[in-house]
Amino acid sequence: MTYDFDEIIDRRNTSSEKWDNLVQVYGRDDIIPMWVADMDFKSPPEVVKVLEQRARHGIFGYPMLKDEHVEPFINWITEKHNWKLDKEWIIVNSCVVDALKTAILAFSKPGDNVVIQPPVYRPFFNIVTSNGRKLLTNPLKFENGRYSIDFEDLEVKLSEKRTKLLMLCSPHNPVGRVWKEDELIRLGELCLKYDILILSDEIHSDIVYENFKHLPISSLSKELQDSTLTFYAPSKTFNLAGLRTSFVVIPNQKLREEYETILENISSKNINIFGLLAATTAYNYGEKWLNELIVYLKENIDFTIDFFKHKLPKVKINSPEGTFLLWLDFRRYGNESFVKNVFINKAKVGLEEGSIFGQEGEGFFRMNIGCPRKILTEACNNIYIAFKE
Ligand SMILES: Cc1ncc(COP(=O)(O)O)c(C=O)c1O
């Protein structure tokens, strides 16, 4: 390996939510944090270097968005996901969650329904309800240890009169599914049938393991392209979440104009000079780093699954098809609050309890394995000791 993902870097006192917010979240600070979805690895060296150089310039006035900031993203999506984008389709935004909020405001009214598929990334709930929209849930089916879409229920929810939007998480956080073409087509056809716009959050699309392939739903047909907004960011891929830069792809001109109107009403253009530089450099030069990262993450996943299989076999884990998140089924160890308490106060490992991803997740725990193997090993050992009785 060219890059040293084993390097342990102290992140405390760096204003890191994951490392510096432990007392508030877990009530103590001696926790190994495996919650917030960022990784404990340095970003690609090219990115660090370009930011250092820019910092040395010393002047940080208003940034200007140029083609050179968008072209590397276009090339990346073409090469990685086989989808050719037009420059005009792309709007640079602060972060994906803000961009999703903007879309909800632009394409639904208070009282309208938005469909989500729990267990799912927690902010999907809040951004719907805090804006006065109604949540309709289409829970994923969990059969034989594998999650899939419940299409019958989906049709019921999409066909309701006030349903306007479906928020798709693709790949899916926290269950790690990379949706297959037939699943996406079937979901897309239902959305087209009931005239539902798709908000496809593809922030995890670059971290996908061997034998799986991410497909942007918008790339699957002209009709889907016209009725989908797709949300990307380099933040998971290259560990850049603090730089708050994301890309929204809206091929349909009318939708794009409506989105831009709302965006301008709620915020002035949310771009920052470091985020733009980092994204550009990562997409231009980060592929080799990413390929090695994926190998390292997969080894972390295999290590963890193997560890639990031998040490705590009552915990069930499926290997995720994408993402650096593991979804551990701890239901055989007692109720969620009991298990959570053991994690925090005996194991001293900070995971996220499944119920925050929707009631369907209750009893599961999400574990972020984006960290050096030594930290992962220590966390697994602590969990083993805490739960072995
Ligand atoms: C599915 C999904 N969407 C969005 C985000 C957050 O993206 P951002 O930081 O760009 O708002 C996350 C972070 O974990 C995520 O998992």
Side-chain angles (χ1 to χ4, degrees):
M1 282 222 180
T2 313
Y3 306 100
D4 183 10
F5 297 108
D6 282 328
E7 184 187 0
I8 295 182
I9 301 162
D10 187 1
R11 295 186 64 192
R12 286 182 194 266
N13 303 314
T14 61
S15 301
S16 152
E17 187 183 3
K18 183 178 178 183
W19 284 84
D20 289 336
N21 203 16
L22 296 173
V23 173
Q24 202 175 324
V25 176
Y26 295 106
R28 54 195 302 160
D29 72 353
D30 54 350
I31 292 277
I32 301 177
M34 306 186 95
W35 61 302
V36 175
D38 69 24
M39 301 183 283
D40 298 327
F41 306 126
K42 270 191 196 165
S43 293
E46 293 83 356
V47 173
V48 177
K49 188 167 161 208
V50 88
L51 296 181
E52 280 169 356
Q53 277 169 355
R54 186 63 187 81
R56 269 199 295 277
H57 183 259
I59 300 178
F60 309 110
Y62 292 111
M64 177 181 170
L65 186 66
K66 296 185 180 172
D67 286 354
E68 70 196 41
H69 298 124
V70 176
E71 278 155 6
F73 166 69
I74 294 179
N75 296 338
W76 182 267
I77 299 295
T78 310
E79 279 163 33
K80 279 258 163 255
H81 305 308
N82 200 19
W83 185 24
K84 181 88 189 83
L85 309 178
D86 275 10
K87 206 169 56 198
E88 290 68 41
W89 299 352
I90 296 161
I91 298 168
V92 180
N93 227 301
S94 54
C95 67
V96 166
V97 171
D98 284 355
L100 286 166
K101 267 186 222 163
T102 308
I104 287 173
L105 293 174
F107 303 114
S108 65
K109 295 194 173 58
D112 283 345
N113 301 329
V114 180
V115 178
I116 63 168
Q117 299 176 301
V120 73
Y121 179 56
R122 172 159 57 172
F124 277 24
F125 295 80
N126 311 340
I127 58 179
V128 172
T129 51
S130 66
N131 286 302
R133 277 61 172 170
K134 208 176 135 209
L135 264 182
L136 282 192
T137 59
N138 164 231
L140 298 178
K141 285 200 282 202
F142 186 54
E143 287 164 342
N144 304 322
R146 187 176 160 79
Y147 284 93
S148 61
I149 295 171
D150 182 343
F151 286 103
E152 285 72 36
D153 178 69
L154 180 62
E155 177 149 20
V156 172
K157 305 293 161 60
L158 296 181
S159 64
E160 281 204 17
K161 206 163 145 249
R162 292 208 65 177
T163 303
K164 297 287 182 285
L165 301 169
L166 167 76
M167 263 201 276
L168 176 68
C169 196
S170 173
H172 192 98
N173 168 12
V175 308
R177 278 295 320 276
V178 174
W179 303 116
K180 290 192 186 315
E181 184 167 3
D182 59 336
E183 293 173 304
L184 292 171
I185 297 264
R186 194 165 165 198
L187 177 142
E189 278 171 357
L190 285 176
C191 289
L192 291 172
K193 179 171 171 190
Y194 295 103
D195 204 13
I196 306 296
L197 279 188
I198 302 172
L199 309 181
S200 187
D201 177 343
E202 302 188 11
I203 195 168
H204 290 281
S205 54
D206 296 323
I207 297 182
V208 166
Y209 301 107
E210 216 180 329
N211 300 326
F212 297 95
K213 171 107 187 85
H214 171 74
L215 294 168
I217 188 165
S218 190
S219 71
L220 297 180
S221 73
K222 172 78 177 85
E223 291 74 24
L224 284 170
Q225 183 163 293
D226 279 340
S227 62
T228 301
L229 284 77
T230 313
F231 300 81
Y232 292 105
S235 46
K236 303 292 158 205
T237 317
F238 299 107
N239 210 22
L240 299 170
L243 295 179
R244 315 264 304 158
T245 300
S246 71
F247 298 85
V248 188
V249 182
I250 315 179
N252 179 321
Q253 187 182 345
K254 184 167 168 289
L255 297 180
R256 197 163 62 241
E257 286 168 4
E258 287 168 12
Y259 180 93
E260 280 182 313
T261 304
I262 300 296
L263 181 62
E264 269 155 35
N265 282 347
I266 59 174
S267 63
S268 51
K269 286 236 161 26
N270 257 325
I271 52 174
N272 86 69
I273 207 136
F274 283 98
L276 286 177
L277 254 183
T280 307
T281 310
Y283 286 132
N284 273 337
Y285 303 107
E287 188 171 11
K288 184 163 175 259
W289 181 92
L290 175 63
N291 290 341
E292 288 196 14
L293 170 78
I294 289 174
V295 171
Y296 192 89
L297 292 173
K298 183 69 172 95
E299 286 169 4
N300 271 1
I301 289 168
D302 292 346
F303 165 84
T304 312
I305 291 179
D306 194 57
F307 183 96
F308 277 93
K309 197 170 146 201
H310 289 102
K311 302 275 196 179
L312 294 173
K314 282 198 288 177
V315 180
K316 299 289 169 216
I317 318 174
N318 270 327
S319 197
E321 300 166 359
T323 80
F324 48 83
L325 307 164
L326 281 186
W327 186 237
L328 314 180
D329 184 350
F330 257 86
R331 288 176 299 177
R332 293 167 79 184
Y333 278 88
N335 71 39
E336 189 180 87
S337 57
F338 169 78
V339 176
K340 183 180 173 189
N341 185 45
V342 178
F343 268 122
I344 297 173
N345 294 312
K346 277 183 93 181
K348 298 183 188 157
V349 177
L351 305 189
E352 284 188 302
E353 68 272 30
S355 60
I356 69 172
F357 302 89
Q359 65 189 33
E360 299 75 9
E362 189 162 343
F364 289 76
F365 283 78
R366 194 188 78 169
M367 183 183 208
N368 171 355
I369 53 83
C371 62
R373 188 118 350 110
K374 193 155 180 267
I375 296 184
L376 180 65
T377 308
E378 190 185 334
C380 286
N381 280 328
N382 289 2
I383 295 171
Y384 168 61
I385 293 164
F387 282 96
K388 70 179 176 198
E389 299 107 38

